[in-house]
Amino acid sequence: MWNLATEPAHYNGIVAMMRLREELREYVSQINAQAAQIVGMAVHELATNAVKHGAFATETGKLRLTWGRVGDAVAIVWTETGFTPPQDFHRRGFGTTVMENMVGRALGSDVVREMRADGIEWRMMIPLASLDPDSSLNGSEAPASDPPTGAVQN
């Protein structure tokens, strides 16, 4: 279990993106600039929200970030536990907009947010074609497969 609760939010986002970038090299040798920017912004937004409202806002909070290849896509699962979600968790804030519009629409990804009694989980299925440096990301469609239902082991 990876827990950076004692580090600043921007550090969490940077470390998560660097680790993810290294692991994605297993699936594609390079990532196009737009996809890297979108995934980086999404990880940064998740880390910032974890500090303000989620797992990093409590002493007992934990973050589990997992990823792996599922068919022709990369599944990324961000799971925060050890905190009680706010009462207004159904509200659609900036973070949800970033995840759905940028990761979902721009990368043709399936994005799922699941609130739980002890935290939150975000699941993303990003088509490998959306990460390809030769991809313009124009006109890409969401993959037909369902997002993962649990953590993907690396």
Side-chain angles (χ1 to χ4, degrees):
M1 183 100 31
W2 181 40
N3 186 353
L4 293 175
T6 60
E7 302 297 337
H10 71 276
Y11 181 78
N12 294 324
I14 292 167
V15 170
M17 186 58 204
M18 288 173 61
R19 289 182 61 172
L20 184 58
R21 186 178 117 192
E22 290 300 315
E23 293 295 326
L24 287 176
R25 286 188 179 157
E26 180 179 337
Y27 313 120
V28 290
S29 60
Q30 293 183 343
I31 299 173
N32 70 58
Q34 184 178 2
Q37 183 178 21
I38 290 169
V39 173
M41 187 173 188
V43 170
H44 181 270
E45 181 62 25
L46 290 171
T48 300
N49 283 346
V51 168
K52 291 180 181 177
H53 314 288
F56 297 150
T58 69
E59 292 291 322
T60 59
K62 291 184 174 38
L63 168 65
R64 182 176 183 163
L65 176 61
T66 56
W67 52 83
R69 185 173 180 166
V70 177
D72 290 334
V74 173
I76 302 172
V77 181
W78 176 284
T79 307
E80 296 176 49
T81 58
F83 73 99
T84 303
Q87 294 289 329
D88 65 347
F89 70 86
H90 293 296
R91 185 179 70 83
R92 305 185 64 71
F94 178 73
T96 300
T97 300
V98 166
M99 299 301 290
E100 291 178 349
N101 289 335
M102 296 189 71
V103 177
R105 291 190 183 110
L107 295 180
S109 304
D110 289 326
V111 178
V112 176
R113 176 182 80 163
E114 182 181 335
M115 300 304 289
R116 299 177 176 181
D118 71 336
I120 186 170
E121 181 171 277
W122 284 92
R123 295 186 303 272
M124 298 163 269
M125 283 285 256
I126 303 173
L128 289 174
S130 294
L131 303 174
D132 189 322
D134 296 327
S135 172
S136 67
L137 298 180
N138 293 325
S140 62
E141 296 181 12
S145 62
D146 291 330
T149 56
V152 177
Q153 295 300 316
N154 181 13

